[in-house]
Amino acid sequence: MPTNVIMPALEMAQETGKVLKWLKSPGDTVAKGESIVEIETDKVTVEIEAPASGILRDVTARAGDVVPVGQTIALIFAAGEAGGASPTPAAAPAKASPLARKIAEQHGVDLARVKTSSGRIEKADVLAYVESHSTSTAADGTAARLSAASPKARRLATERGLDITVLHGSGSGGAVLAADVAAATLPAAQVPAAAAAAAPGVARVEAPGVSTVWRIMAERMTTSWTTAPHFYLVREVNVSRLVSWLEKARKQTGAHITYTDLLVRLVAAVLAQHPRANASWKNGAIVQNTDINIGLAVAIDDGLVVPVLHRAGTLSLPEIATCREDLVGRAQAGKLRPADIQGGGFTISNLGMYGVDAFNAIVNPPQAAILAVGRIADRVVALNGQPAVQPTMVLTLSCDHRALDGARGAQFLGALADLIEEPLALLV
Amino acid sequence: MSERELTYGEAVREALAEEMRRDPRVFIIGEDVAEAGHPFKVLTGLVQEFGTKRIIDTPISEPGYAGIGVGAAMTGMRPVVDVMFGDFITLAMDQIVNQAAKVHYMSGGKLKVPIVFRTTLGATRRSAAQHSQSLHAWVSHIPGLKVALPSGPYEAKGLMKTAIRDDSPVVIFEDKMMYRVKGPVPAEDYTIPFGVAEVKRAGTDITIVATSSMVAVALGAAKMLEEIGISAEVIDPRTTYPLDKQALIDSAKKTSRAIVVDEGYERYGTTAEIASVIADGAFYFLDAPVKRIGAMDVPVPFSPVLEDLTVPSEKMVFEAAKALCGKA
């Protein structure tokens, strides 16, 4: 039996993916794990790896094609297997009910991995799989609940590329309604013609085309801005100990460690003590993430992507540095893999290198908080009752007030500030 | 179009008289239809004009006169059978369901049954459990029958004329509480096609599909809704079979919410059929489940206080619409 190469689902609301370019041609021998095709998803360009070793054949999606998630786009025949034999059904590797397919698609589940006792995969089988593989547990104990949304809201969200699970629902039982989707998108069509027309004497330049990454960034930020009630906590911290720690760490390890790496290390430690900052507001419940996965906001040519350092709390500083270098490098090269951008629970956005003193970041939905890091600068501070010049940094924690409140946010930020001012506390 | 007004009862009578003058094959048969002029006085004066050969009083036997009507229709006449209370249609079910509805099909199209059964629906007349039911869903369920529910005097005349001219068996349910309701009715000859719904009031926020006397209830609720900023569209299917599915779906697509109001019992009722049509045809345009409001699922009480509680009211429709629009 040949192995199906399928269009993967990388996020909850993704319906389709676009084939950018095949890295292998039909008839090529591919090794399992080797990149074979570039896919553009809603957030990023990723390379899809061969799910098996063998010969690539029956490529059904050409560059530029937009393909529904879960659809087979090529087959890989094992050596010796008759090429061009009858391909397996294209839609999905197993028999499944339409509802099961829909739910699998929503949760990015590969139906081939779902076990069923009845010979036909049903909704319950998919939900059981989702539950057993879920990295989050809802406050009410049910994992991966289906989000309530009206049919019209679902359709509009799909049309506008919005993730319905992160929208605030105003309907009964927290159901997302059409109005909620409309509130999360800019009513571009409502710009009055008079305003759209250029004022006399003002030259107008045709704006360049917007990339998918940019459009999605715009839509996700709008969703966050209009649905998540933001509040901001600002704290100036003395970073003299952090500066010396960085020097020592670089010397000891020989690795090119950055302030961002140190912050990842510290934030991971603080998230373990303050799990509420590592959560999401979903369908009227607070969903706690069990893993500590920290996203890093990375600027790329056509917008912003947030690759994720998974289980950051388990990594040593050199490992964090290696991971970060790899992720940032591949983000800028447009070579992120699906797994790289999934599962983030908290985000760090550092604009210090751009000379910014402090800024307010927009929460990365569906996360509860994002840490905005300003530059390190020598500033005059009071030290033991005397003015002193010390290196300081301004941290701003943006919080989604549905998942975090002021006190909890402040406790998290306070614990982080204490660690930055005395990193040795990590060892306690 | 003239601007004169007639009552609902007068509009029915005018339709019958015009059709009987136009077509000698049309005759009326039933209990108390001649001298008595019908318990609701709908037929007053017809026997004077057309005589007892065309306005035929029968003994109290619904199966008997309904059977006579079916036979007469099969052999070339165009009878209008008067079943004075909708509740009595149960006695003529064999003639209507097993004979009238089947003959055209079972004869391979060789026989036609151009018959009209006139009957009533509607509660609140203090007529108690056996004279107050709205049983139109029962016959709407049967292939081979067409069912019309006039919601006012204009529809009463137009739909009756269409029914008499139609070669299929038609059951017309008139709301017994509406016979004295006045409205504009053209003096000229006009018909209303079956299977064409009418938008009684245009709106943008919610669709209220209403039948028969519930159209007035829906329009009253729409007025109340307007005061709180909800724009309701009221649409009258006019016939439950054939049903103008597309008009109902299009309206629900436009407003994204729908309520169906009908005076038949809620369970297994007309509201269920229409709600299902909308849910199926407008699914991806709906922002809320389709709401049904029918008569309470109980025998209609004789007590006025209790009876009034069993029928959908303007307030019920208003509250349901408000809730669907998220303003409850």
Side-chain angles (χ1 to χ4, degrees), chain A residues 207-403:
Chain A
V210 171
S211 71
T212 306
V213 170
W214 190 275
R215 184 176 55 83
I216 295 302
M217 174 190 74
E219 281 172 355
R220 284 173 58 80
M221 290 301 106
T222 306
T223 302
S224 176
W225 190 249
T226 52
T227 60
H230 283 59
F231 68 90
Y232 309 94
L233 303 172
V234 186
R235 175 105 178 219
E236 187 176 4
V237 287
N238 187 324
V239 292
S240 41
R241 298 300 310 272
L242 196 72
V243 173
S244 53
W245 182 26
L246 183 73
E247 286 167 8
K248 284 195 185 86
R250 280 181 176 174
K251 261 199 201 109
Q252 274 175 2
T253 62
H256 182 71
I257 293 167
T258 64
Y259 284 111
T260 300
D261 300 333
L262 298 186
L263 287 171
V264 168
R265 179 83 179 80
L266 298 180
V267 166
V270 179
L271 283 176
Q273 301 159 7
H274 297 270
R276 279 293 288 278
N278 184 23
S280 296
W281 175 258
K282 272 188 190 170
N283 302 328
I286 292 166
V287 181
Q288 197 74 59
N289 299 319
T290 47
D291 284 347
I292 294 172
N293 302 332
I294 298 174
L296 295 176
V298 176
I300 59 175
D301 277 350
D302 54 358
L304 173 76
V305 289
V306 186
V308 178
L309 283 141
H310 292 93
R311 308 189 63 196
T314 64
L315 303 176
S316 67
L317 260 186
E319 283 170 334
I320 290 172
T322 309
C323 248
R324 188 249 324 140
E325 259 177 17
D326 170 55
L327 284 173
V328 172
R330 284 192 293 109
Q332 286 165 342
K335 298 228 180 262
L336 284 175
R337 287 186 291 265
D340 297 332
I341 53 171
Q342 289 173 306
F346 185 95
T347 299
I348 298 173
S349 180
N350 187 350
L351 290 179
M353 63 290 275
Y354 294 95
V356 170
D357 284 322
F359 67 103
N360 296 343
I362 297 177
V363 169
N364 181 19
Q367 297 167 14
I370 181 167
L371 184 72
V373 182
R375 70 178 174 145
I376 291 176
D378 284 343
R379 296 181 176 99
V380 179
V381 294
L383 200 67
N384 304 324
Q386 294 295 320
V389 175
Q390 291 279 319
T392 67
M393 174 167 80
V394 182
L395 298 177
T396 309
L397 186 73
S398 312
C399 305
D400 176 348
H401 212 316
R402 297 169 306 174

Side-chain angles (χ1 to χ4, degrees), chain A residues 150-200:
Chain A
S150 78
K152 186 177 182 182
R154 281 184 201 283
R155 179 175 58 85
L156 292 176
T158 303
E159 284 171 3
R160 297 172 189 195
L162 287 173
D163 179 355
I164 203 134
T165 59
V166 304
L167 296 183
H168 167 71
S170 64
S172 129
V176 178
L177 304 180
D180 303 323
V181 179
T185 46
L186 284 171
Q190 290 175 16
V191 177

